[in-house]
Structures are given as C-alpha cells and as structure tokens.
Amino acid sequence: MVDKLNHDGSIIAVEHVNFFYGTFKALTDIHMLFKKNAVTALIGPSGCGKSTLLRLLNRMNDLIDGTRVEGRVYFEGLNMYDPNIDPVEIRKKIGMVFQKPNPFPKSIYNNIVYGPKLTGMNNKNDLNALVEKTLKQSVLWDEVKDILDQSALRLSGGQQQRLCIARALAMNPDVLLMDEPTSALDPISTAKIEELIDELKTDYTIIIVTHNMQQAARVSDETGFFYLGKLIEYNETKKIFTKPDLKQTEDYITGRFG
Amino acid sequence: MTRTTKEKIIKAVFFVIAATSVIILGMIVISLFREAVPIFRVASIKDFIFGNEWYPTYDPPSFGIWPLIVGSLIVTLCSTVIAVPIGVLSAIYISELANPFLKEILKPIIELLAGLPSVVLGFFGMVVLAPWLQETFDLPTGLNIVNASLMLSLMAIPTISSISEDALYAVPQEFKEASYALGATKYETIVRVIVPAALSGISTAVILGMARAIGETMVVLMVAGGAAAIPDSLFDSVRPMPASIAAEMGETPFGSNHYHALFGIAVVLFFLTLAFNLVADYIANKYKQTGSATL
Ligand SMILES: Nc1ncnc2c1ncn2[C@@H]1O[C@H](COP(=O)(O)OP(=O)(O)OP(=O)(O)O)[C@@H](O)[C@H]1O
Ligand SMILES: [Mg+2]
C-alpha cells in the first residue's frame, strides 16, 4: 500500500524531510506545501540546499550514490518515496530544467521528441505539432524553425536553455522544477522566460530556484527563504518582499547578508 | 632568458622529437616499398594481389597472394564478429551497470588480457583449443579459422572494451541527468543517450580492435594452420599475411624474388592497417565536430 494523504490545494507536500549526502546533512526538517498552479520561488544564499530540495522533488537525488532521505514527500497525495513508487513515473510527471543548459547531442527536433517517444508517442504529425507547440511556448520557434535538424549543441547558451524548457514541456508534466533557469541568459531571453513562466502557471505548477530577487518578486506567488539547509520563512511573495516576518529574511532580500 | 625565447626553445624541442618519429616512420615505409618494388617486375600488381596461387619456392614460382589476403580478412572478420559484442557490452556493463566492487575486479581482468603475450594465446590455442576442436567436430586439424578467430578475438576484446569504456565514461553526466529527468529508465538512457553519444569512440575502438587482429602475427602463425588456399569452410586452415611473412622470411635468400614478394605482402598489409586507422580517424572526427547531431 502506498501511503496516501490529502493536502488541500497543494500538489506537493514535503513533510519533515531531512536529506543527507553521506553523513552531511544538507536539509533539516523541511516542511512545505507547494500550491497547485502557482509559482513558488526558492531563494537563499549559495549552498543552502535549494538545488538539493528541488532534486528531491523528482527523485533526481536517487541518482547520487550515498544519499538518504528521511521524512515524506507527497505528490498528489501519494508518498513519492514509498518503496512501491517507481521514480521513473514520478519524473515523467515532474519535469526539470537544470541550471546549466544540457541539451542532448542530437538535433533540435530529436531533443524535444526524446521524452514523448519514450512514452510510445510515434505519430509523425503529432510529434511535429508537439515540437512546434513547445518551441513556441518557450519562445524559440522563430529562431530555429528552419534548422530543426541541426545539432542542438550549436545553439547559443540562451537558446539551449529555452530548448531544454521546451523539452521538459513536451512531456506535459504537472510540475516544472527550474533550477536557476535564467542564470546563463541575457536580459531579453530572461524576460522571455519570465513571461513564459507567467503563462505556464495556468496549466502547470512551477517551482523555481533563483538568486535574482527581482525575478522572484516578479514571477512567483509564494517564496521560501532557505539558510543552511533550513526553511527560514515561507510566505506569499508579496509579504516576503514587503513585510517579512523575520528580520533574517529581510536582511537577505535587501542584500544585507548572504 | 625571456619567456618568449624559452617558449620558442620548448616548442623547437618538441618539434624535433615529433619530427624524429615521423622521419623514422617515413624511412621504414620507404624501405618497405623499395624492397617490394622488384617483385612487380616479375608479377604484375594484379597477378600479385589477385593471383590464387602462392607457390613462391616452386619452379617456376607463382606469387599470387589472394589466398593470404582472404585468410587475413576472414580471421579478422570472424574475430571482430566475436569480439565486438563482447567488448562493447562489457564496456557498457563496466562503465554504467556494475557496482563499484565488480568494476574494480573486472577492469584489471580485462587489462590483464590485453597484457597477455600473444605467444601465450597461440600456445593455448595450439595445445588446448586445437585438440578439443579436432575431437569435437571430427576435423583433420584443429588449427583453423575458428581457432585463430577465437584467439584473435581474445586479443581484440581488451582493445575494444577499454577504448569503448573511455568513450562511455566521457559522456557528460548532464546528458544522463537530462535523460533521467525526462522519465527515461536506465536502460533507455544507455541505449538512446549514452551509447549514441559515445558512438564515435566505440567505432574507433572497433576499428582499432580489427587493426590489432589483422596485424597480429604470432597467434595466426601458431593456430591458423598455414594452408595458403582459399578456405571453403570455417574449419579450414588459412595462412594470413603476417603468418606468411614470419614463417617464410627466415628461409628466403636475401634479394630473391620470394624475398621481395614478402615485402610486397608487407606493403599490402601496411595499406590495409592504414585504411583501418584512417577510417577510425574519420569516424572520430566526423562526430566530434557536429556533436553527433543526427544520432
Ligand atoms: N553531490 C553532492 N555530494 C555531496 N554534497 C553535496 C552534493 N551536492 C550538494 N552538496 C552539498 O549540499 C549543500 C547544498 O547544496 P545545493 O547544491 O543544494 O545548494 P544551492 O542552494 O543550490 O546552492 P547554489 O545557489 O550555489 O546552487 C552544499 O553544502 C553542497 O556542498
Ligand atoms: Mg543550486
């Protein structure tokens, strides 16, 4: 039996999670609900465990030897760390965009259809339509529509990142995890991606790690502030950026420490 | 001494060292050709390469090396067919699937195989495999294509395995993560991302393994049987080119037609291995530059 729980309005619920890399405790007693169809930003100084938490949410940390999770993480009411749950199925529903663009050394087209093909989608017309749709969503279509057969590695860093977003969207996930998706991008691409996040929010739940305070303020509905592996404050973004409950949060946001 | 002069000197030293090896190689090739040329006054290039009769000591002699070429190609091909799946799959297993403990055991074993002197393999083929083959399949001799191919594949496996493994190991972690994050299983990731990304290295490994097999002398000298005739079956004996050169060079009068013919064989062998290496190089470069876009 997979252990089940109901958390109203939230798609992911993290309950008292501790996370270890070997003996190093990277996350301490994290307790957090992620709202459905909302954008949640994770902020905090470097090394505080934001990426670790993000990777915990689609079981990517399983791939690192010697890691250990304590506590429970519910996805749509099911404990995703239950031994009966297949991480592969979780990752199909919870997509991820990495900090460093990582397209496959394949053509642009094949990058996008990689995931859908794994799920058995093989109709050429459907795939073509999907490629066009996701590339338009990630505002890359106009730049690459004539070079879909070209290697994705020849795109610029910003284009590669938007391709990676399109690739994640092609799986039509419920949740999209984004780890500093714009840290390698110019202001124009960044603006495009922020716009995209805003649009995606109607269909997807987005959890985004960012070091850019303005970005967190602009795109997110909720913000969690982390420090040294602990969730310090978790509130509505508006509140965090105007009247945070804690002095520590305010100091970080205004740049007085971190 | 300024930094630029120092760098110039270092550069010059390296150039001389590099040039020396190129020059020596060039001289070997030139002498190879010079010694081979006289045979083509006796036999035309066409008769030499495609002639079916290798009777260098008869009167009149006949210098057709086609049976030797066929012998070389067939043992190379058969050993490749055996060695490629084993070599590539073991590389995949070691680099992607084996737990660290098994990895620590398997890697040295394969490397040990690479270090095995070919005469040891030849000896094994002669005293163990040959009698077994002879008895089991009721053959006139156990020294034949099958035996030579098996022994050669043992030599090619470590080459193929270790170069393939390097290629697989060099596939960036990011590609694997990207694949897993899209809901791919380990098997799907290996087949669709890791192996394609390493394909140029794996192809290079295969071709270098083949080059190793075609140039190998001791094993084929000991276990291929030595019959200079075109084989009808895989249980026939053959006389691959290196075996012919090694067996006959010692008893050939210096400067005789037979002597020049053996150099002619060496030239053919030289072009064959050169071709293998060029192909390996071509494949390695082709995919490197375009990031194997079409795979
Ligand atoms: N694979 C790993 N093995 C061991 N320790 C790790 C590993 N990855 C991260 N850590 C450690 O876990 C802690 C949290 O790392 P994490 O990458 O989650 O930080 P982060 O908040 O994302 O930082 P940044 O903003 O710099 O990306 C750090 O102290 C880091 O050293
Ligand atoms: Mg990070």
Side-chain angles (χ1 to χ4, degrees), chain A residues 50-52 99 179-180 209 211:
Chain A
K50 305 178 297 292
S51 300
T52 304
Q99 177 167 358
D179 196 348
E180 299 180 46
V209 170
H211 278 291

Side-chain angles (χ1 to χ4, degrees), chain B residues 5-290:
Chain B
T5 44
K6 212 163 159 184
E7 273 175 12
K8 269 185 194 154
I9 291 172
I10 293 171
K11 216 171 148 187
V13 169
F14 276 96
F15 176 77
V16 169
I17 293 169
T20 311
S21 47
V22 171
I23 289 168
I24 290 174
L25 185 70
M27 282 174 2
I28 292 175
V29 172
I30 288 170
S31 68
L32 199 63
F33 277 80
R34 205 188 52 211
E35 295 296 330
V37 162
I39 189 64
F40 298 114
R41 298 202 188 101
V42 182
S44 72
I45 291 183
K46 185 169 156 273
D47 289 345
F48 183 71
I49 292 177
F50 294 108
N52 265 331
E53 277 157 4
W54 175 248
Y55 298 131
T57 53
Y58 281 28
D59 193 21
S62 153
F63 296 109
I65 66 165
W66 187 238
L68 313 185
I69 295 178
V70 169
S72 269
L73 291 179
I74 199 146
V75 292
T76 303
L77 202 74
C78 291
S79 62
T80 308
V81 168
I82 302 166
V84 167
I86 299 176
V88 173
L89 290 178
S90 70
I92 292 174
Y93 184 73
I94 291 173
S95 76
E96 302 299 328
L97 297 169
N99 62 41
F101 174 74
L102 268 175
K103 201 181 278 193
E104 289 310 311
I105 296 178
L106 285 172
K107 263 188 84 127
I109 290 180
I110 289 186
E111 272 152 24
L112 196 75
L113 201 58
L116 217 56
S118 53
V119 67
V120 173
L121 280 173
F123 190 69
F124 176 80
M126 252 172 142
V127 303
V128 179
L129 190 56
W132 182 82
L133 281 174
Q134 194 173 3
E135 241 167 72
T136 316
F137 298 98
D138 193 22
L139 304 169
T141 171
L143 301 174
N144 53 29
I145 297 173
V146 171
N147 193 334
S149 303
L150 284 169
M151 291 302 113
L152 285 178
S153 68
L154 283 181
M155 305 200 67
I157 285 169
T159 307
I160 295 176
S161 178
S162 61
I163 299 175
S164 299
E165 200 201 315
D166 289 346
L168 290 165
Y169 187 75
V171 174
Q173 186 65 24
E174 286 94 65
F175 294 167
K176 303 179 195 172
E177 289 208 326
S179 174
Y180 289 124
L182 289 164
T185 60
K186 186 153 209 169
Y187 168 78
E188 288 164 339
T189 302
I190 289 173
V191 172
R192 297 181 189 226
V193 173
I194 300 175
V195 170
L199 202 61
S200 69
I202 293 175
S203 316
T204 309
V206 167
I207 289 160
L208 292 179
M210 290 176 85
R212 174 107 207 254
I214 204 168
E216 168 54 30
T217 309
M218 190 49 80
V219 164
V220 290
L221 183 62
M222 291 171 82
V223 303
I230 302 220
D232 295 321
S233 98
L234 290 181
F235 289 117
D236 282 353
S237 297
V238 286
R239 191 180 186 85
M241 290 184 277
S244 218
I245 299 173
E248 294 164 36
M249 197 48 110
E251 11 182 292
T252 310
F254 177 81
S256 67
N257 282 336
H258 187 186
Y259 172 91
H260 292 303
L262 292 180
F263 273 95
I265 297 176
V267 168
V268 172
L269 199 54
F270 170 79
F271 277 118
L272 270 173
T273 26
L274 186 69
F276 277 111
N277 282 293
L278 288 178
V279 171
D281 235 40
Y282 173 76
I283 293 172
N285 281 326
K286 186 175 161 188
Y287 292 120
K288 206 170 281 162
Q289 283 159 8
T290 59

Side-chain angles (χ1 to χ4, degrees), chain A residues 1-240:
Chain A
M1 239 331 263
V2 176
D3 135 33
K4 258 190 163 177
L5 209 76
N6 200 22
H7 297 91
D8 281 336
S10 57
I11 188 163
I12 294 181
V14 178
E15 293 206 325
H16 303 293
V17 162
N18 296 313
F19 183 83
F20 301 85
Y21 289 107
T23 53
F24 174 70
K25 194 173 189 182
L27 293 175
T28 307
D29 199 30
I30 303 293
H31 200 76
M32 229 176 158
L33 298 180
F34 293 93
K35 279 206 182 114
K36 197 169 178 160
N37 293 352
V39 179
T40 305
L42 309 179
I43 61 171
S46 189
C48 69
K50 305 178 297 292
S51 300
T52 304
L53 177 64
L54 206 64
R55 295 165 57 89
L56 191 84
L57 301 181
N58 66 343
R59 295 195 57 172
M60 284 300 281
N61 283 334
D62 291 21
L63 303 172
I64 303 171
D65 287 335
T67 58
R68 190 159 57 84
V69 184
E70 285 174 4
R72 284 178 298 274
V73 181
Y74 292 92
F75 170 58
E76 294 187 317
L78 298 179
N79 180 6
M80 68 161 87
Y81 280 89
D82 189 285
N84 295 321
I85 296 270
D86 183 1
V88 166
E89 294 309 314
I90 295 290
R91 295 186 199 123
K92 280 182 179 145
K93 293 187 199 146
I94 305 184
M96 183 159 210
V97 177
F98 297 80
Q99 177 167 358
K100 200 174 140 218
N102 58 353
F104 296 122
K106 299 173 187 283
S107 68
I108 294 170
Y109 185 94
N110 282 333
N111 260 277
I112 293 177
V113 301
Y114 178 85
K117 272 190 171 170
L118 292 176
T119 64
M121 185 171 166
N122 272 317
N123 182 299
K124 194 84 191 143
N125 291 330
D126 292 351
L127 290 173
N128 290 344
L130 184 69
V131 168
E132 180 167 346
K133 180 182 145 212
T134 54
L135 282 174
K136 278 182 173 159
Q137 273 184 310
S138 65
V139 229
L140 188 60
W141 176 250
D142 290 331
E143 288 155 71
V144 302
K145 62 173 184 275
D146 300 319
I147 51 167
L148 293 175
D149 291 333
Q150 192 181 299
S151 170
L153 299 185
R154 285 202 231 152
L155 297 173
S156 75
Q159 289 173 323
Q160 288 186 2
Q161 189 63 305
R162 278 177 281 151
L163 176 63
C164 291
I165 293 174
R167 181 176 67 183
L169 292 176
M171 287 300 285
N172 196 19
D174 297 327
V175 181
L176 195 57
L177 309 173
M178 302 175 115
D179 196 348
E180 299 180 46
T182 60
S183 64
L185 304 190
D186 65 283
I188 294 169
S189 311
T190 301
K192 283 180 182 169
I193 287 185
E194 288 182 8
E195 237 168 79
L196 166 69
I197 291 172
D198 221 43
E199 279 167 33
L200 292 176
K201 161 166 119 171
T202 48
D203 300 318
Y204 304 88
T205 303
I206 293 171
I207 303 171
I208 180 173
V209 170
T210 179
H211 278 291
N212 180 332
M213 291 307 117
Q214 286 83 14
Q215 181 169 66
R218 277 194 301 264
V219 302
S220 71
D221 305 304
E222 311 274 320
T223 298
F225 168 59
F226 290 78
Y227 186 63
L228 294 178
K230 294 201 178 92
L231 177 59
I232 304 296
E233 180 167 354
Y234 184 33
N235 250 322
E236 270 183 41
T237 301
K238 240 186 289 160
K239 183 158 168 43
I240 289 258

